[in-house]
Amino acid sequence: MCRGIQHPVRGLFLRSYLSQVSRDKLPDIGSEYEGDADTVVDAVEFVLQNFTEMNKLWVRMQHQGPAREKEKREKERSELRDLVGKNLHVLSQIEGVDLDMYKDTVLPRVLEQIVNCKDEIAQFYLMDCIIQVFPDEYHLQTLEILLGACPQLQPSVDIKTVLSRLMERLSNYAASSAEVLPEFLQVEAFSKLNNAIGKVIEAQVDMPIFGAVTLYSSLLTFTLHVHPDRLDYADQVLGACVKKLSSKGKLDDSKATKQIVALLSAPLEKYNDIVTALKLSNYPRVMEYLDIETNKIMATVIIQSIMKNNTRISTADKVEALFELMTGLIKDLDGAEEEVDEDDFKEEQNSVARLIQMLYNDDQEEMFQIICTVKKHIMTGGPKRLPFTVPPLVFLSLKLVRRLQGSSQDQEENPFGDDSSTSPKKIFQLLNQTIEALSIVPAPELALRLYLQCAEAANDCDLEPVAYEFFTQAYILYEEEVSDSKAQVTALHLIVGTLQRMHVFGVENRDTLTHKATGYSAKLLKKPDQCRAVYGCAHLFWVDDQDNMKDGERVLICLKRALRIANAAQQMSNAARGNTGSVLLFVEILNKYLYFYEKGNPQITVAAIQSLIELITTEMQSDNSPPDPAADAFLASTLRYLQFQKQKGGAISEKYEAIKV
């Protein structure tokens, strides 16, 4: 009946039934129907013949009926394909089919049928079937035969998917156990696959670039699994990919760019080390074909790999190569400022900043070279990127200054001789240029903070002119660029705090800087801000561990001026609002009096403290004063502190005994 019925669908179902009922009756090794030596051949012959006939019937379906119903027929055929594929499954289950028989009989016959049927749907499905149903070691040993059929398939067959699945299976097989790797070397799997892919790409002239990149991506994954130590193989694959891409120019196909990201991510995932990937000479060449957006994605993948594996990138050359790869994140490309999501942009730039902080080399010369390389690259970043990338570079440089300073402690003669190629002086010059770049942003508050950080580092290296220069720059920024009153208050407190810690300045320089700072304090807009800045300046004239910087007279002048400003603030409040306002400023000044009294400033007398406490108490009891819980709580804790000091005993309690609360 099977031979008689020629209607494709009926014939298919009938032969499928034949295949099903005969499955457990085949004269196979170990079955009850096992006969003499040739029985397995008979079984194979029977299944192959059934397969061939079913395939013919299946293909014939395509050519029946009008052309307009082509899609409908293709849908029907797709639904019936498993009937044909089951035969290959039956073949793979026959115990007697060993590698030799598969190689000599089964595979050539199946491939012959696949190639000769010249039908796109059948060729794609059946090639995929062979790959899925037969064992991996069979594929490995018959790689040449299987790959030989690929270029003979119809040009419209999606051969990239077939080959990708084959390589995926072989990659998993290689990864499953180290014992199978010698088999791969023995059959020269890499060169066979490489040649086959080359032939397929040549044969299919119209293959989209996405298809070619997918093939190279699968081949690279295969190579990394089977020959992880052969970087030249991986580079060869990337080189072939570059050659293919070079014929197309920049990519605008999103599928292809996705595949390139997969291709470039594979070495990172395998080696867990960007340094190894940087040894692949064609790696950066592939990245050149990505558009800006995809370059950014890839650069982010690279940074994540470095973070995850804590990779040490320790030479200027490697840093150069790495930053070349990450152009999309570091540079403004072609002057085109594309629309970017603000949060994404911040995240990208923060990851670049983290990367800069991870660069390190024990050798100070090399470290300085790394810093110069980073500077060269980030200076191309344009005003939006600099506020993110300059601070980490500044702190990376300051770390090196501290290391140079530490190692110089051991040397007796002048450790920072200008003949040494890496000296703190040189680094400070570089820092000055780097921070100056923020003026194009403009980011005056950030630049001011960085100048002060550098001044402090120069102070620790005993470089007075350098520290003075950094302070001058900070003052210029304050005068010319910082106009917002809140920002002025913050900046001024930072200036005073940093200046107070400086010990490197001579009398003249220190006086100039201190005079300027106190001058700025008096010019702040709001009276309370003025008052706080002025009493903050008192600390500039009394530095604990330096006797030559204890000027009690000037401390008192600052505190008295602060009191006058606090009084003026109250009078203004009275005139404008009809009440005297809070006494909080007076309580704050009282705390400063107590601080300097405790430090032993002879100008701060018990009488002054006493009268200040009385003034505050009187003010608080006045009807004109509005309730202020913050001031009440602050005063209460100040008075508690006084009581506590009195109870301590010894010299401290004697000192405080005179103050009546």
Side-chain angles (χ1 to χ4, degrees), residues 285-355:
R285 290 176 63 202
V286 177
M287 277 197 79
E288 285 167 20
Y289 292 96
L290 295 173
D291 56 25
I292 296 176
E293 274 315 301
T294 322
N295 185 298
K296 282 183 181 177
I297 294 169
M298 198 55 233
T300 312
V301 170
I302 290 172
I303 293 179
Q304 281 165 351
S305 158
I306 293 171
M307 298 289 168
K308 190 174 105 191
N309 302 301
N310 215 353
T311 311
R312 175 67 53 82
I313 295 153
S314 52
T315 68
D317 299 346
K318 283 179 188 162
V319 172
E320 174 74 39
L322 177 63
F323 275 56
E324 283 293 340
L325 286 185
M326 301 188 330
T327 346
L329 288 187
I330 290 164
K331 271 188 194 168
D332 284 341
L333 294 172
D334 307 330
E337 197 42 66
E338 66 285 0
E339 285 300 310
V340 272
D341 179 271
E342 200 59 35
D343 290 342
D344 288 352
F345 179 76
K346 280 183 182 169
E347 188 48 52
E348 284 166 4
Q349 294 310 308
N350 284 333
S351 62
V352 174
R354 284 198 291 275
L355 174 67

Side-chain angles (χ1 to χ4, degrees), residues 164-209:
S164 296
R165 284 179 185 164
L166 173 63
M167 286 186 276
E168 194 181 322
R169 270 204 74 162
L170 291 176
S171 299
N172 294 339
Y173 179 49
S176 65
S177 143
E179 292 157 20
V180 300
L181 289 179
E183 289 178 39
F184 282 88
L185 301 173
Q186 197 183 344
V187 300
E188 295 178 343
F190 171 72
S191 54
K192 283 177 183 170
L193 284 165
N194 198 9
N195 292 337
I197 286 172
K199 280 180 189 162
V200 165
I201 290 174
E202 268 174 47
Q204 298 200 1
V205 189
D206 300 331
M207 180 187 279
I209 194 77

Side-chain angles (χ1 to χ4, degrees), residues 33-71:
Y33 304 104
E34 183 182 358
D36 54 17
D38 288 338
T39 53
V40 173
V41 179
D42 295 341
V44 169
E45 196 58 48
F46 173 76
V47 180
L48 276 173
Q49 194 182 350
N50 200 35
F51 162 70
T52 308
E53 292 303 326
M54 281 180 84
N55 192 38
K56 284 177 186 168
L57 290 165
W58 187 44
V59 170
R60 198 184 307 152
M61 280 176 73
Q62 188 67 28
H63 308 292
Q64 291 192 336
R68 65 171 182 276
E69 290 181 0
K70 184 181 173 207
E71 273 187 34

Side-chain angles (χ1 to χ4, degrees), residues 105 283 297 332 421 548:
T105 312
Y283 197 90
I297 294 169
D332 284 341
S421 55
N548 62 339

Side-chain angles (χ1 to χ4, degrees), residues 363-393:
D363 178 49
Q364 291 159 355
E365 296 283 328
E366 189 62 40
M367 191 66 212
F368 184 62
Q369 291 310 315
I370 289 176
I371 288 169
C372 293
T373 308
V374 174
K375 175 177 177 269
K376 180 183 83 180
H377 281 280
I378 67 166
M379 285 305 155
T380 59
K384 281 182 76 179
R385 290 179 175 80
L386 287 173
F388 292 93
T389 50
V390 167
L393 177 60

Side-chain angles (χ1 to χ4, degrees), residues 10-216:
R10 288 185 202 140
L12 262 179
F13 276 104
L14 192 55
R15 281 193 172 273
S16 172
Y17 176 68
L18 171 69
S19 169
Q20 215 168 334
V21 294
S22 60
R23 263 181 93 159
D24 53 354
K25 298 182 176 54
L26 293 172
D28 187 11
I29 293 173
S31 83
E32 56 184 291
Y33 304 104
E34 183 182 358
D36 54 17
D38 288 338
T39 53
V40 173
V41 179
D42 295 341
V44 169
E45 196 58 48
F46 173 76
V47 180
L48 276 173
Q49 194 182 350
N50 200 35
F51 162 70
T52 308
E53 292 303 326
M54 281 180 84
N55 192 38
K56 284 177 186 168
L57 290 165
W58 187 44
V59 170
R60 198 184 307 152
M61 280 176 73
Q62 188 67 28
H63 308 292
Q64 291 192 336
R68 65 171 182 276
E69 290 181 0
K70 184 181 173 207
E71 273 187 34
K72 186 183 169 193
R73 283 200 303 276
E74 284 182 356
K75 187 167 178 282
E76 276 180 4
R77 286 192 64 202
S78 292
E79 287 165 358
L80 295 174
R81 63 187 186 178
D82 287 356
L83 300 179
V84 185
K86 271 181 189 159
N87 288 291
L88 295 180
H89 189 251
V90 171
L91 273 174
S92 70
Q93 302 291 311
I94 296 177
E95 291 289 335
V97 177
D98 56 8
L99 179 58
D100 290 335
M101 189 172 216
Y102 175 74
K103 196 174 188 174
D104 300 337
T105 312
V106 177
L107 186 62
R109 291 271 298 276
V110 174
L111 286 177
E112 180 190 2
Q113 179 57 36
I114 292 173
V115 172
N116 291 343
C117 75
K118 292 191 167 33
D119 176 82
E120 178 194 342
I121 296 176
Q123 287 184 337
F124 174 72
Y125 171 67
L126 294 173
M127 285 298 282
D128 195 36
C129 250
I130 292 177
I131 291 164
Q132 301 304 337
V133 300
F134 289 105
D136 296 322
E137 62 263 35
Y138 284 17
H139 293 323
L140 194 55
Q141 297 301 333
T142 57
L143 207 47
E144 214 159 338
I145 307 170
L146 193 55
L147 294 173
C150 291
Q152 300 173 45
L153 302 177
Q154 298 298 97
S156 52
V157 172
D158 181 10
I159 193 69
K160 70 170 188 319
T161 307
V162 173
L163 284 173
S164 296
R165 284 179 185 164
L166 173 63
M167 286 186 276
E168 194 181 322
R169 270 204 74 162
L170 291 176
S171 299
N172 294 339
Y173 179 49
S176 65
S177 143
E179 292 157 20
V180 300
L181 289 179
E183 289 178 39
F184 282 88
L185 301 173
Q186 197 183 344
V187 300
E188 295 178 343
F190 171 72
S191 54
K192 283 177 183 170
L193 284 165
N194 198 9
N195 292 337
I197 286 172
K199 280 180 189 162
V200 165
I201 290 174
E202 268 174 47
Q204 298 200 1
V205 189
D206 300 331
M207 180 187 279
I209 194 77
F210 155 66
V213 177
T214 306
L215 283 174
Y216 287 126

